[in-house]
C-alpha cells in the first residue's frame, strides 16, 4: 500500500482520495482554501471557495457521474440524496409520444444532481469519514520534491513542498488542482520537460443565477437542459432541495450581450425565451447575475514519444484537460479519469514508476480523451455558429461533424431511439460516434435529422434579442 498525496481538494481530489483509500492506500489531500467544509445544508449560504472560480456557477451532474458513483462508492450517492440532491430522469417526466414509453435500460439516464457547493460538501464529509484519508485545508502546494530517478534523465517525484516550506513525502503525487493547476511550472522547476499543452480561451461567457421554489418542486422541463437560440444558449438545470440554476451562455465576442450581467436585462432576455421563461418563477438565491468568462480549453500530455515527463506524479481531471462546460460533462469526465487512475494503480502498482506512467497515459488516452475531443469539437462549432449568426450568415462548416450533432438533436424530438442516442451522449454514456454506431441509427438520424437547418426557432430573432438585452 502506498502513501499518496493528492494536491487539490475539489470534486476530483476528494473522489480520488476516497477511491484510493478504499484500496488501502494512505491518502493525504492538500487543499489551499483554508475554510473548513460546512455541512451540506449550510454549504450554499456559508461556503466561499476562492480556489474554484466556478464554485457558485451553474452545475448539473450528468448520469455517468451517478452511475460510476453508484457502482464504486454507493454511500456517496446515498449521502447526496440524504442532503437533498435531486434524482432526475429526462425520460420519466417526458411525454410518451416522445419517449415511446419507459424501456429497460432507461435507468441509465437518471442523474443525481445538486448545486456545486452542496455536492462538494457531501463529498468532503464522505472523504473526512473515510479510513485512510487525511484532508489538510489551508495548505498550498508550491512545488515538487524529486529523488533518485527511475528512468535516466527523467525526474522522479517523491513528494511536494508547500508554500510554508514543509516537505511532504509521497510514493505518488496526484495533481487535482483544477483548471489553474501549476503542475507544468512545478515539473519544470523539478528539472522535467514541460508537458506540451494545447491552450485557448473557449470564447464563451456564462451569466447564471439560482432560484428556489416555495414548495420544493422544480420547474417543468420542456426540451433539453441546454438549448441554443441563435446566438445564446439557455441552461435550465434542476438541482437539490427545490433549487435550480438558470443560465445564458454567449460568445465573449458578442458585445451587445454583455448587458446580460445586469439583473434587469438578463431577466428580460430570459422572459423572451418561451421554453425557459417559467424557470424565473422562484425566489432568486443571488441578488446579482454570476458571470464567468475566460474559460479555457486546455489539454496537457504527460508522456511524450513514449517517455514520461516525470515519474511519481499523475494529473487528473481538470488539471489534465478542461473545456468550456456548457455540456455539463466536467465532473463525469473527471470521475472517469480518477477511476482510470485507481485501476492503473491496482493493475501496475508503483514498483515500476515508468510502467505506471505509461499505463496511466494509455488509460487516459483510451477512456477519457475521446470525451475531451468530442466536447471540444462541439464547443468550437457552436462558437463558430454564434459568430456566423452575429454576422447574419448561416454556419456551414466543411466537416460534417456539426451536421451530425445537430441532426441527432433534431431527430431526438421525433424518434425514441434517436432520443435515447442523444441522451446517451449528453449523459456521458456513449460518445456521439459510439451512439451512432448502433444498428440502423445513423440511417434514422440521416432520414429524420436533416431538417434541423430549417426548424423554426422558439424564440426571438437576433435583432429582437439584441434589442431586449440592451434595453
Ligand atoms: C462555469 C463552469 C460550469 C461548470 N459546470 C459544470 C457542470 O454543470 N457539470 C459538470 O460536470 N462540470 C461542470 N464544470 C466543471 C467542473 O466544475 C469540474 O470539471 C470539476 O469540478 C472537476 O474539477 P477538479 O476537481 O479537477 O478541479 P476544481 O474543482 O477546480 O478543484 C481544484 C482544487 O484545487 C485547489 N488548489 C488549486 N491550487 C492549489 C495548490 N497550489 N495547492 C493546494 N490546493 C490547490 C483549489 O482550491 C480547488 O479546491 C463547470 C466548470 C465551469 C468553469
Amino acid at each position: 500500500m502506498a502513501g499518496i498525496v493528492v494536491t487539490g481538494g475539489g470534486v476530483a481530489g476528494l473522489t480520488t482520495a476516497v477511491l484510493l483509500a478504499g484500496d488501502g492506500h494512505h491518502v493525504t489531500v492538500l487543499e489551499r482554501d483554508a475554510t473548513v467544509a460546512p455541512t451540506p445544508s449550510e454549504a450554499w449560504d456559508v461556503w466561499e471557495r476562492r480556489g474554484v472560480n466556478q464554485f457558485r456557477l451553474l452545475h448539473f451532474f450528468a448520469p455517468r457521474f451517478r452511475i460510476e458513483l453508484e457502482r464504486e462508492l454507493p454511500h456517496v450517492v446515498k449521502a447526496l440524496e440524504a442532503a437533498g440532491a435531486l434524482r432526475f430522469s429526462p425520460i420519466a417526466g417526458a411525454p410518451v409520444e416522445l419517449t415511446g414509453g419507459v424501456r429497460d435500460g432507461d435507468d441509465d439516464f437518471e442523474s443525481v444532481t445538486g448545486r456545486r457547493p452542496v455536492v462538494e460538501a457531501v463529498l468532503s464529509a464522505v472523504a473526512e469519514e473515510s479510513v485512510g484519508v487525511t484532508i489538510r485545508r489551508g495548505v498550498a502546494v508550491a512545488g515538487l520534491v524529486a529523488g533518485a530517478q527511475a528512468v535516466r534523465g527523467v525526474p522522479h517525484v517523491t513528494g511536494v513542498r508547500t508554500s510554508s516550506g514543509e516537505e511532504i513525502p509521497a510514493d505518488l503525487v496526484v495533481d487535482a488542482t483544477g483548471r489553474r493547476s501549476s503542475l507544468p511550472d512545478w515539473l519544470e522547476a523539478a528539472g522535467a520537460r514541460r508537458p506540451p499543452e494545447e491552450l485557448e480561451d473557449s470564447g464563451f461567457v456564462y451569466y447564471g443565477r439560482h432560484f428556489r421554489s416555495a414548495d420544493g418542486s422544480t420547474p417543468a422541463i420542456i426540451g433539453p437542459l441546454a438549448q441554443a437560440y441563435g446566438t445564446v444558449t439557455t441552461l435550465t438545470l434542476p438541482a437539490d432541495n427545490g433549487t435550480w440554476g438558470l443560465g445564458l451562455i454567449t460568445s465573449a465576442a458578442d458585445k451587445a450581450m454583455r448587458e446580460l450581467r445586469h439583473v434587469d436585462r438578463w431577466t428580460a432576455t430570459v422572459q423572451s425565451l418561451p421554453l425557459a421563461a417559467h424557470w424565473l418563477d422562484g425566489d432568486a438565491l443571488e441578488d446579482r447575475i454570476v458571470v464567468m468568462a475566460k474559460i479555457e480549453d486546455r489539454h496537457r500530455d504527460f508522456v511524450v514519444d513514449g517517455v514520461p515527463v516525470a515519474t511519481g506524479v499523475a494529473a487528473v481531471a481538470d488539471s489534465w484537460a478542461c473545456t468550456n462546460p456548457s455540456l455539463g460533462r466536467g465532473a463525469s469526465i473527471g470521475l472517469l479519469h480518477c477511476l482510470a487512475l485507481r485501476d492503473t494503480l491496482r493493475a501496475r502498482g508503483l514498483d515500476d514508476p515508468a510502467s505506471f506512467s505509461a499505463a496511466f497515459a494509455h488509460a487516459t488516452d483510451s477512456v477519457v480523451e475521446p470525451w475531451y475531443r468530442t466536447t471540444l469539437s462541439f464547443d468550437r462549432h457552436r462558437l463558430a455558429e454564434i459568430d456566423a449568426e452575429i454576422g447574419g450568415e448561416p454556419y456551414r462548416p466543411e466537416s460534417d461533424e456539426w451536421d451530425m450533432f445537430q441532426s441527432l438533436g433534431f431527430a431526438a424530438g421525433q424518434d425514441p431511439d434517436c432520443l435515447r442516442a442523444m441522451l446517451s451522449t449528453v449523459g456521458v454514456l456513449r460518445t456521439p460516434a459510439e451512439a451512432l454506431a448502433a444498428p440502423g441509427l445513423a440511417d434514422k438520424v440521416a432520414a429524420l435529422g436533416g431538417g434541423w437547418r430549417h426548424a423554426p426557432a422558439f424564440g426571438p430573432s437576433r435583432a429582437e434579442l439584441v434589442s431586449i438585452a440592451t434595453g
Side-chain angles (χ1 to χ4, degrees), residues 86 131 141 198 205 246 272 347 433 450:
L86 178 74
V131 175
V141 175
E198 296 167 18
V205 191
L246 174 55
S272 75

Side-chain angles (χ1 to χ4, degrees), residues 7-13 30-33 49-54 57-62 116 120 139-142 176-182 186 206 237 292 295 316-319 323 325 327-332 334:
T7 58
V11 171
L30 304 176
E31 167 53 47
R32 184 169 51 194
D33 282 353
R49 293 274 276 112
R50 294 169 63 89
V52 184
N53 278 354
Q54 72 270 28
L57 262 151
L58 273 44
H59 273 69
F60 178 81
F61 292 82
R116 163 75 186 249
E120 195 173 308
V139 178
V141 175
T177 53
R179 289 182 164 258
R180 291 179 292 167
S181 155
S182 301
W186 299 345
Y206 282 67
L237 308 181
M292 186 166 172
I295 299 170
V316 292
D318 284 10
S319 164
T323 58
L327 297 177
R329 290 174 173 164
S332 300

